[in-house]
Amino acid sequence: MAFRFTVAADAPSLYATMSATTKAIRGGGGLPAGLIHLIDLRVSQINGCAYCIDMHGKEARHAGQSEERIAAVAAWERSDLFLPDERAAFAWAETLTRNRHDGIDGAHRELQRHFSAGQIAQLTVVVAQINAWNRVGIAQHVEGTAVGMAA
């Protein structure tokens, strides 16, 4: 693997902060681990972070998600494999990741049907954090190699 730089080695305190945020998200208890992994997978697909797509697919599998559901994440809008709350979470993740200002109110209203304010806040940080990890991975990675980073 070839890297331009690595945040872990070249900015270790910032890497530690990002890692701590990820651990806090996953230990927050407000959202199921499987949903967090599927959101991480979907956002990584949108952002094109191959390393993250692989890693979050494996994490989703480990959390009990089926191969069929993992494969369907990329086309979640056309799949009947996801529950209404998962669909609302995917729509929120896509709205934030794609910066769709015109869709934020509708996506938020749908989230409110399924999640508490605390869960919506946690989901928002989940989306922000995986977007940050994706961008770090893409920045430090030299094209044609796998991205090496922990998320």
Side-chain angles (χ1 to χ4, degrees):
M1 285 183 243
F3 300 94
R4 293 179 181 94
F5 61 92
T6 65
V7 173
D10 299 316
S13 66
L14 295 174
Y15 181 84
T17 300
M18 287 183 71
S19 293
T21 301
T22 297
K23 287 177 185 160
I25 288 167
R26 294 184 180 189
L31 297 172
L35 178 59
I36 292 171
H37 296 310
L38 292 177
I39 293 299
D40 286 347
L41 174 60
R42 182 62 192 130
V43 171
S44 296
Q45 290 170 338
I46 293 167
N47 290 328
C49 185
Y51 175 86
C52 296
I53 292 167
D54 179 63
M55 177 176 60
H56 297 302
K58 289 175 182 172
E59 288 175 339
R61 243 176 248 102
H62 183 71
Q65 296 293 331
S66 70
E67 291 297 326
E68 188 177 29
R69 282 171 51 88
I70 291 167
V73 166
W76 67 269
E77 290 176 290
R78 293 180 298 283
S79 174
D80 61 358
L81 295 175
F82 301 103
L83 299 171
D85 62 328
E86 293 168 323
R87 299 173 72 72
F90 288 140
W92 185 248
E94 292 215 12
T95 298
L96 297 179
T97 299
R98 297 182 190 276
N99 214 13
R100 291 183 180 153
H101 295 271
D102 60 337
I104 195 122
D105 289 333
H108 183 253
R109 277 190 298 276
E110 186 60 24
L111 272 182
Q112 290 178 308
R113 296 180 67 217
H114 306 283
F115 297 99
S116 70
Q119 289 172 315
I120 293 170
Q122 184 181 0
L123 182 59
T124 301
V125 176
V126 166
V127 174
Q129 186 70 359
I130 190 57
N131 270 291
W133 278 122
N134 289 164
R135 280 147 180 79
V136 166
I138 290 165
Q140 67 185 11
H141 154 109
V142 174
E143 285 189 39
T145 65
V147 177
M149 65 172 211

